[in-house]
Amino acid sequence: TSPFAWLRTRFYYLLIRLYFDQEFSIEEFTRGAKQAFSVVSKLLSQRKLDLLEELVSAEVLQVLKEKISLLPDSHRDALAADIDAIMYTTEGDVRIYYDDDGRKFVSILMCFWYLNGANLPDEVPDQAKVFQIVFGDENTKEKKHLLTANYEFQREFTEGAKPDWTITRIEHPRLLE
């Protein structure tokens, strides 16, 4: 992350604490985002899309229904991320905005890197390489892929709105395209 982007996100966190939620903590948010990512990615992998209605926006859910039905099993299996297999997490873009009706929103893009043992081909459809890691010796080789995912979380801070974060964007590059 560039120093400018780091400062910008820290400034937005300060604004969130000052004007929207005095108890907001990026560390606590990140822990919750990792848990949500793990749950949602497993449900996607299992095609249990009806269980995502409270977690994912209706627009994203509709797109997911179309994409998941077309995925080969190996790609669908690769969507699942155990919370213990998340190697690195960082926040991407943070936005604060108001809609035409004066409603207040905050969205935070989270980027996840996770290990998955799905049986993916060495070359994925867009011809990009997926990082592979081999564990064990010659007799007990276990191949894992280091995959990435981007999930955007949005919360409405208008008075009277539910205090829940909703996933408004799900990207699994090279898998869910």
Side-chain angles (χ1 to χ4, degrees):
T1 307
S2 75
F4 176 73
W6 185 86
L7 282 172
R8 182 179 172 270
T9 58
R10 295 313 179 256
F11 176 70
Y12 276 112
Y13 298 149
L14 176 63
L15 290 177
I16 293 168
R17 277 194 301 275
L18 288 174
Y19 295 106
F20 299 107
D21 181 358
Q22 294 176 351
E23 297 178 15
F24 179 80
S25 158
I26 189 57
E27 293 80 15
E28 186 178 321
F29 175 84
T30 300
R31 277 193 297 279
K34 285 172 74 171
Q35 289 175 341
F37 165 61
S38 180
V39 168
V40 169
S41 68
K42 287 177 188 175
L43 291 172
L44 285 174
S45 176
Q46 298 165 0
R47 293 185 182 169
K48 294 183 178 177
L49 302 179
D50 53 325
L51 298 177
L52 295 176
E53 289 181 8
E54 296 294 316
L55 303 170
V56 177
S57 72
E59 298 83 15
V60 171
L61 195 53
Q62 185 59 40
V63 171
L64 289 173
K65 286 178 181 178
E66 296 168 13
K67 288 184 177 183
I68 292 291
S69 65
L70 302 174
L71 283 182
D73 288 344
S74 61
H75 285 87
R76 207 171 19 84
D77 293 343
L79 296 175
D82 286 325
I83 197 157
D84 295 334
I86 299 172
M87 302 284 88
Y88 184 71
T89 303
T90 188
E91 62 271 4
D93 194 25
V94 179
R95 294 182 303 139
I96 297 173
Y97 58 96
Y98 296 82
D99 70 5
D100 293 336
D101 298 325
R103 298 183 315 166
K104 301 179 277 191
F105 295 91
V106 171
S107 67
I108 301 174
L109 178 66
M110 296 297 294
C111 308
F112 303 96
W113 286 262
Y114 64 101
L115 288 175
N116 182 289
N119 188 19
L120 290 174
D122 289 344
E123 293 288 329
V124 288
D126 66 357
Q127 303 303 314
K129 278 280 193 191
V130 173
F131 290 104
Q132 296 179 16
I133 302 167
V134 178
F135 295 96
D137 58 22
E138 288 299 317
N139 299 325
T140 61
K141 267 200 251 186
E142 181 184 5
K143 184 168 65 169
K144 295 224 177 204
H145 301 277
L146 181 61
L147 302 169
T148 62
N150 302 311
Y151 281 47
E152 183 178 63
F153 296 84
Q154 180 186 76
R155 179 176 167 193
E156 182 177 351
F157 281 94
T158 309
E159 191 172 322
K162 291 181 3 181
D164 298 331
W165 290 91
T166 303
I167 298 171
T168 55
R169 184 167 81 192
I170 294 178
E171 298 172 341
H172 284 262
R174 297 183 287 274
L175 296 175
L176 191 61
E177 296 182 341

